Amino acid sequence: MNDILRERVEGAVHAPGDERYEAERRPWNRLVDHRPAVVVEAAGPGDVRAALLTAREREVPFAVQSTGHGTLVPTDGGVLVKTTPMASVRVDPERRTARVGAGAIWSDVITAAAPYGLAPVSGTPAIGVAGYTLGGGAGWLSRLHGYAADNLIGAEVVTAEGHSVTVSADEHPELFWALRGGGGNFAVVTSLEFRLHPVGRVHAGMALFPFERAADTLARYREWALTEPDELNTSVILMRMPGRGWVLAVRAFCVDGGEHALESLLEVAGPSLGGEFATMSFAEAATAFGGPPPPPMAVLQHIDLLEQVSDEAIDTIVKSADGTLTAIEVRHWGGAMARPEPGAGPVGHRRVPFSVIATSVLDGSDEREQVEGDQREVARALRPHAMGGTFLNFLYDPSRTATAYTAADHARLAEVKREWDPGNVLGRSHNIAPASGSPRGRSPSSTP
């Protein structure tokens, strides 16, 4: 199969035993150790199409990976497409938009938009734009401007049948709806166009406080967060620090002077142990706030959504800061994320105000069983306080994919899947199976 693909594609092709195979096959999350039969570094949409059709001909698994942060299911024996070479970024300052290739990461877009005083609804700079946006994408500007998916204007895709299609509110609107939060289930995105926003100076950072203040700070946060201005994006984190043990952290990203609202929260957190908030440009804050790009690592994560942070939930969260956990974060959502425009995509549970995210970083394979056990225990302890939903981009358990959506949206997504990928070729990590029955048929304006 690798010889066939070398004839069909322009980009590099790597098979087991080739020099670059080991490096290119591996995702960022080292818990996934997939062994594809071939890795294709796609130079453009034509390579994506050729790789997809080859996988279909050979009846082997097919998957797409940029940075690999969202890779959760191995593609053993299949075709893995790397979109990393497709990293172009073009900013239109007059329209306040950016058009980017599927392999771009957020630092590429932030850097390109900064000279015009513009910024995207982005996440950590080292995260891939495409996977982040297709999964919804909650970023530092989301309380002001909604999810990244809400800012998507259009996309170029390769369908499961191998057609190149332009998708927007006017062209294949049902597919466009599904792309804005439904993950990679419906087509392979080769480029995206999305809105940018004017952003001046921001006030951002993270301050550390004694762990003993965690319960009181969370009790204050659950009330304070519901009144914070949309210009603020905050979370409270219990985290393990080398040489210090567990500490309390307050993280905030403020636009247009909203930082003064932080004062009453920080007073409860107590005397600072370090860290600071500073005023800087959005691009500077993105780098400082995100920190240096984290190296590939083995990570497990559990997320639950909460309608309210009760005393019992706080007690559970504080007690969970133990064992092999690395951090447990309480985040406030809301703002523009909870006020979707008509026709917005299927990002689920928009009006749920809080999330709890428990993260474990594994140092060695010998501890995986213990870490998985601790994660299950956190999930069990949080279950009585949670509403049962999740958010796709933070979900590491593919068996819970449906919980990222309302029941109505999940059913609608299954219908879109039936129309565009009835053979369920796409969307391995967070798969949405096609609805039963035959596709109703369509006539896409496409390039075969």
Side-chain angles (χ1 to χ4, degrees):
M1 185 164 55
N2 55 315
D3 290 335
I4 293 174
L5 279 166
R6 286 190 173 101
E7 294 177 357
R8 293 179 174 179
V9 305
E10 296 181 16
V13 175
H14 311 285
D18 292 345
E19 181 180 358
R20 292 291 301 165
Y21 173 80
E22 286 297 316
E24 297 301 331
R25 72 173 178 84
R26 306 188 75 182
W28 179 85
N29 189 348
R30 294 305 200 227
L31 279 185
V32 180
D33 186 30
H34 54 178
R35 303 277 174 172
V38 63
V39 180
V40 176
E41 293 189 81
D47 284 0
V48 172
R49 176 180 180 274
L52 172 60
L53 293 178
T54 301
R56 296 196 62 164
E57 290 170 7
R58 295 304 181 95
E59 298 183 338
V60 298
F62 174 83
V64 181
Q65 180 176 300
S66 175
T67 62
H69 283 79
T71 302
L72 303 175
V73 178
T75 313
D76 294 343
V79 175
L80 174 65
V81 169
K82 293 288 293 291
T83 59
T84 311
M86 301 166 60
S88 62
V89 177
R90 188 169 72 249
V91 171
D92 185 334
E94 293 186 2
R95 294 180 61 231
R96 294 179 178 174
T97 62
R99 184 181 292 274
V100 308
I105 61 176
W106 279 119
S107 60
D108 299 331
V109 183
I110 292 168
T111 300
Y116 306 104
L118 300 172
V121 178
S122 57
T124 305
I127 294 289
V129 173
Y132 171 92
T133 302
L134 296 179
W140 300 309
L141 299 179
S142 284
R143 284 180 42 78
L144 270 177
H145 301 298
Y147 291 101
D150 296 334
N151 289 272
L152 187 64
I153 299 170
E156 301 291 330
V157 307
V158 174
T159 70
E161 296 173 347
H163 298 290
S164 294
V165 174
T166 299
V167 183
S168 69
D170 298 320
E171 299 179 88
H172 311 298
E174 195 68 0
L175 177 57
F176 181 58
W177 173 82
L179 290 178
R180 289 175 291 151
N185 277 282
F186 312 97
V188 181
V189 169
T190 56
S191 71
L192 307 95
E193 184 178 15
F194 47 82
R195 288 188 289 269
L196 301 173
H197 301 279
V199 178
R201 307 289 284 177
V202 302
H203 192 75
M206 183 170 69
L208 305 179
F209 301 93
F211 181 78
E212 293 74 20
R213 303 299 303 165
D216 289 341
T217 302
L218 287 170
R220 177 70 178 119
Y221 183 65
R222 69 186 175 192
E223 301 171 355
W224 173 90
L226 298 178
T227 67
E228 69 176 326
D230 290 354
E231 291 78 9
L232 262 173
N233 191 310
T234 59
S235 66
V236 174
I237 310 169
L238 314 184
M239 55 194 297
R240 187 198 304 273
M241 294 191 67
R244 279 188 172 180
W246 284 91
V247 300
L248 167 70
V250 175
R251 187 167 62 175
F253 195 98
C254 314
V255 180
D256 296 331
E259 66 270 15
H260 298 297
L262 271 175
E263 295 174 0
S264 62
L265 178 65
L266 298 180
E267 287 175 0
V268 179
S272 174
L273 300 178
E276 62 178 2
F277 300 97
T279 301
M280 62 197 86
S281 70
F282 182 90
E284 291 169 335
T287 300
F289 207 59
M297 60 184 68
V299 178
L300 279 172
Q301 190 164 272
H302 175 80
I303 179 172
D304 271 312
L305 303 182
L306 280 66
E307 297 278 5
Q308 60 180 347
V309 185
S310 64
D311 289 343
E312 294 78 11
I314 290 174
D315 184 59
T316 297
I317 291 164
V318 173
K319 288 180 178 178
S320 295
D322 196 5
T324 59
L325 281 190
T326 303
I328 183 164
E329 177 200 60
V330 178
R331 177 182 299 200
H332 180 227
W333 298 65
M337 291 179 283
R339 301 188 298 268
E341 296 180 357
V347 181
H349 317 298
R350 287 176 177 266
R351 289 177 175 80
V352 178
F354 295 102
S355 66
V356 178
I357 303 171
T359 303
S360 302
V361 178
L362 285 73
D363 295 325
S365 59
D366 57 331
E367 65 177 349
R368 178 165 180 170
E369 184 176 342
Q370 178 63 46
V371 173
E372 289 177 338
D374 288 349
Q375 284 274 329
R376 286 193 296 270
E377 178 58 27
V378 170
R380 184 202 62 77
L382 286 173
R383 192 171 298 122
H385 315 294
M387 52 77 68
T390 58
F391 181 68
L392 196 70
N393 280 358
F394 292 97
L395 181 60
Y396 278 43
D397 182 356
S399 71
R400 298 179 69 204
T401 298
T403 65
Y405 306 101
T406 65
D409 279 351
H410 191 264
R412 183 177 172 186
L413 287 168
E415 293 289 344
V416 178
K417 179 77 168 183
R418 181 177 65 176
E419 292 300 309
W420 290 91
D421 183 20
N424 205 13
V425 175
L426 306 174
R428 290 182 59 78
S429 283
H430 279 302
N431 186 246
I432 297 172
S436 58
S438 301
R440 289 189 293 270
R442 51 187 160 73
S443 298
S445 55
S446 59
T447 302

